[in-house]
Amino acid sequence: MGFFILCSVTNPGTITQSNQESFLKAYGYDGVMFQKSTLCPTCNVEKPARSKHCSVCNNCVHRFDHHCVWVNNCIGAFNIRYFLVYLFTLTAMAANLAIITVAFLTKVVLLSNMMLGSYIDDQGQEHAVEILFLIQEKVTFA
Ligand SMILES: [Zn+2]
Ligand SMILES: [Zn+2]
């Protein structure tokens, strides 16, 4: 949660008329993707190398990565570290939930003694319950 909030509220590196000078010195122009003295047609600032205009936030962002709809903010030079930690902790949380769910379901199966039961199939044959029978889609107990 902390890294999600940090990622959402941190300025990703918005380029304005007043701070563009410092960003212009940060990286050299490659002359291919980033040309010197190019103005952003929308916000009218000189585009520093490795910057990009975000059409959602309507400003140019230093070292732009992408606009993230999940955190409702651009991911740029100043919040990408929070974004990466956020992704890592989010993945860890999802793995943790998956482990807890599997452990819980295993406990439910073991406590209910389901594995000790038996069932009669369409041909009238009796079978002991095995794990594939338990996890199949349509289980109807008589
Ligand atoms: Zn722009
Ligand atoms: Zn944006």
Side-chain angles (χ1 to χ4, degrees):
M1 261 328 270
F3 285 106
F4 170 79
I5 292 165
L6 269 176
C7 201
S8 307
V9 300
T10 304
N11 179 348
T14 304
I15 300 162
T16 60
Q17 295 287 349
S18 54
N19 70 10
Q20 64 172 332
E21 279 306 313
S22 59
F23 289 123
L24 285 169
K25 284 177 261 167
Y27 294 105
Y29 290 90
D30 62 0
V32 183
M33 279 182 74
F34 303 103
Q35 312 282 348
K36 213 171 163 61
S37 311
T38 314
L39 282 183
C40 172
T42 312
C43 47
N44 221 22
V45 295
E46 192 178 340
K47 284 178 82 69
R50 297 180 65 180
S51 69
K52 194 179 175 291
H53 185 85
C54 175
S55 57
V56 182
C57 305
N58 206 30
N59 50 42
C60 279
V61 175
H62 177 56
R63 231 168 71 201
F64 181 85
D65 187 75
H66 69 288
H67 181 89
C68 182
V69 292
W70 305 107
V71 302
N72 191 32
N73 197 4
C74 279
I75 306 303
F78 301 145
N79 65 351
I80 192 146
R81 68 197 71 159
Y82 304 133
F83 183 69
L84 291 175
V85 180
Y86 168 59
L87 287 187
F88 176 77
T89 52
L90 193 68
T91 308
M93 189 179 77
N96 190 30
L97 279 175
I99 291 166
I100 289 170
T101 305
V102 168
F104 177 77
L105 288 177
T106 306
K107 203 94 180 167
V108 166
V109 167
L110 293 177
L111 285 176
S112 66
N113 293 328
M114 269 185 233
M115 296 298 286
L116 302 174
S118 62
Y119 65 97
I120 296 164
D121 67 13
D122 296 340
Q123 284 79 43
Q125 290 268 310
E126 191 170 353
H127 299 276
V129 169
E130 69 277 337
I131 200 75
L132 280 177
F133 176 77
L134 280 183
I135 60 177
Q136 70 180 331
E137 228 175 289
K138 294 178 204 150
V139 182
T140 45
F141 290 100

